[in-house]
Amino acid sequence: MRAEVIKAESGYKATFVRKFAQGQEEVWAMLTENPKLQQWFSELTIEDLRKGGNIKFNMGNGKYENMAILDYKEGQKLAFEWGEDQVHFELTPDHGGTRLELVETISKIVPHTAKDLAGWHVCLDVIEALLEGTEIAREEEWNKEYPEYQRLLESMSVSFE
């Protein structure tokens, strides 16, 4: 399911909701244990998993960006800086499985925003595939989702700054 993107008091909010058959512990491990995290987002490494801790983003050019962990509750909540924006994951029980909500707060829509949204969409698809023991064609999925997120943002009459 695609994200719902709405105008917020300050900027925008993109909300993704996914439901997994697996329990919270399994889904939480995908978000917080580096070997599992790097299966779906190879550039991220959790350095210090706590509120006030940090996550490293490998920029791919020998440089790393440190992103502060803004909120943390073991097994339930992980929020961190994402450039000028923020990413929040929240897990709740859902009929024997887990409901994952990912909210990206976006200070301003820029040309790269649709790429990020398509990226998060595919990351969630990859998490689901990993948990189910299947695979997806990431690049093919991203190429399908990216124009849809471009259209979504354009339909909101958003002007890119």
Side-chain angles (χ1 to χ4, degrees):
M1 185 164 95
R2 289 200 182 86
E4 175 186 57
V5 181
I6 60 168
K7 178 82 174 114
E9 200 173 298
S10 174
Y12 298 83
K13 279 192 177 187
T15 303
F16 299 83
V17 175
R18 297 292 174 91
K19 294 183 180 183
F20 301 101
Q22 295 76 17
Q24 266 180 260
E25 287 182 16
E26 282 183 81
V27 179
W28 183 251
M30 296 300 294
L31 303 177
T32 60
E33 293 178 12
N34 283 325
K36 292 180 180 184
L37 170 63
Q38 291 169 356
Q39 290 178 353
W40 62 272
F41 206 136
S42 61
E43 297 83 3
L44 292 183
T45 303
I46 294 180
E47 293 284 306
D48 186 7
L49 187 59
R50 63 177 176 83
K51 186 174 182 175
N54 72 298
I55 297 174
K56 259 188 179 172
F57 185 93
N58 182 343
M59 302 297 283
N61 58 3
K63 295 182 181 174
Y64 294 85
E65 182 176 331
N66 284 315
M67 302 180 299
I69 296 176
L70 305 170
D71 198 6
Y72 176 82
K73 185 171 182 183
E74 177 69 33
Q76 296 175 18
K77 229 184 251 190
L78 175 64
F80 52 89
E81 293 176 337
W82 187 252
E84 294 179 19
D85 303 327
Q86 297 178 10
V87 172
H88 301 253
F89 287 95
E90 188 159 350
L91 304 181
T92 53
D94 186 66
H95 305 290
T98 304
R99 179 183 188 273
L100 179 150
E101 182 175 276
L102 183 162
V103 177
E104 181 178 2
T105 55
I106 303 166
S107 55
K108 62 183 175 186
I109 301 292
V110 296
H112 197 269
T113 303
K115 292 178 181 179
D116 277 350
L117 294 174
W120 284 122
H121 183 106
V122 173
C123 282
L124 295 174
D125 288 348
V126 172
I127 291 171
E128 182 175 21
L130 289 165
L131 289 168
E132 296 291 334
T134 61
E135 293 184 16
I136 66 165
R138 292 178 195 220
E139 190 172 335
E140 185 179 314
E141 288 300 310
W142 188 89
N143 286 332
K144 182 178 80 176
E145 294 302 328
Y146 172 58
E148 295 301 322
Y149 282 104
Q150 282 184 305
R151 276 193 276 285
L152 173 63
L153 296 176
E154 288 167 6
S155 75
M156 296 174 66
S157 299
V158 171
S159 62
F160 297 117
E161 298 176 17

